Amino acid sequence: KQEVTQIPAALSVPEGENLVLNCSFTDSAIYNLQWFRQDPGKGLTSLLLIQSSQREQTSGRLNASLDKSSGRSTLYIAASQPGDSATYLCAASLKAAGNKLTFGGGTRVLVKP
Amino acid sequence: DGGITQSPKYLFRKEGQNVTLSCEQNLNHDAMYWYRQDPGQGLRLIYYSQIVNDFQKGDIAEGYSVSREKKESFPLTVTSAQKNPTAFYLCASKPSGLYEQYFGPGTRLTVT
């Protein structure tokens, strides 16, 4: 059974610092890995999706990498801003599970002005 | 406006009552999903449907039921058999052949 872990559960950084968010998964036979942002009491917004054949995806200040052999994905947010404060969730889609998503517990980020 | 709507945003029920959460999408997506989120935790899959009139259990289906009579709608009923129904419920949809799921704003259910 796929397990997805995000450590740390929370982190706080000063504005301008780069953010590094970690996601690990136990089964490397994934279809893809997605990163989401969730604001308090809201739904999820998709940030980046990395296919299993890709090593990374970029969108603006966001860059996500995928290393299937080590079971890790990392989300980098450059030059963090207070508006980046939110919870970030990663989710892995397993080939054997009909593309169902398995979510990590999330990392709650606070960017201090 | 295209998107996924969930209503109501907040729902309160007494223990022992069934309650139905609404999820509607006008994105013409084939697949729809229901997730549950508990405080400080990730999402867990309750039920999903890849096509009208068909649905499958997710990881935590006990105490829940769904129907998919129309492509646009995927209501979730939380029955009295669900032991800990208080949670944040999120609905999502996905177009056929693609991977990205799109989420609604969620319904926060409180059962006392």
Side-chain angles (χ1 to χ4, degrees):
Chain A
K1 181 185 175 185
Q2 177 76 282
E3 291 183 4
V4 180
T5 306
Q6 292 183 251
I7 296 173
L11 69 98
S12 178
V13 299
E15 182 178 1
E17 194 166 294
N18 295 335
L19 277 164
V20 181
L21 305 177
N22 299 306
C23 173
S24 61
F25 47 92
T26 54
D27 191 331
S28 62
I30 61 171
Y31 253 141
N32 57 65
L33 189 130
Q34 289 185 248
W35 282 94
F36 295 90
R37 169 185 171 136
Q38 185 178 32
D39 292 292
K42 306 284 187 184
L44 275 63
T45 300
S46 180
L47 297 174
L48 290 167
L49 183 151
I50 313 175
Q51 304 279 18
S52 61
S53 58
Q54 297 174 316
R55 297 279 303 197
E56 66 177 345
Q57 276 283 5
T58 299
S59 176
R61 293 185 296 113
L62 276 60
N63 174 277
S65 65
L66 176 64
D67 183 344
K68 289 195 300 178
S69 61
S70 65
R72 290 182 195 169
S73 177
T74 303
L75 178 66
Y76 300 91
I77 303 178
S80 62
Q81 303 168 357
D84 294 328
S85 298
T87 296
Y88 293 83
L89 294 138
C90 68
S93 172
L94 252 192
K95 288 179 182 177
N99 273 326
K100 291 182 293 181
L101 291 176
T102 301
F103 281 82
T107 295
R108 190 170 67 253
V109 170
L110 176 63
V111 180
K112 298 179 186 174
Chain B
D1 281 340
I4 303 174
T5 57
Q6 292 185 246
S7 59
K9 186 172 183 177
Y10 299 97
L11 193 52
F12 299 88
R13 280 293 182 271
K14 294 289 187 185
E15 195 173 319
Q17 293 179 334
N18 291 354
V19 59
T20 297
L21 281 60
S22 167
C23 177
E24 304 277 333
Q25 54 99 359
N26 61 5
L27 301 168
N28 200 34
H29 289 175
D30 289 309
M32 297 186 74
Y33 306 80
W34 272 107
Y35 294 91
R36 169 186 173 133
Q37 186 178 33
D38 292 285
Q41 298 187 30
L43 280 65
R44 291 182 290 167
L45 182 64
I46 305 172
Y47 267 99
Y48 65 105
S49 167
Q50 295 182 314
I51 197 168
V52 173
N53 292 323
D54 187 48
F55 48 82
Q56 286 80 40
K57 293 182 180 179
D59 299 319
I60 54 165
E62 186 176 349
Y64 299 98
S65 66
V66 293
S67 64
R68 187 86 186 277
E69 296 176 1
K70 296 186 299 181
K71 189 175 186 176
E72 304 79 26
S73 178
F74 191 39
L76 172 74
T77 297
V78 184
T79 75
S80 56
Q82 168 50 233
K83 292 176 182 158
N84 296 297
T86 294
F88 189 49
Y89 290 87
L90 287 155
C91 177
S93 69
K94 183 181 78 66
S96 178
L98 298 177
Y99 300 113
E100 192 169 350
Q101 291 188 21
Y102 297 81
F103 282 79
T107 291
R108 186 166 299 281
L109 173 64
T110 303
V111 177
T112 57

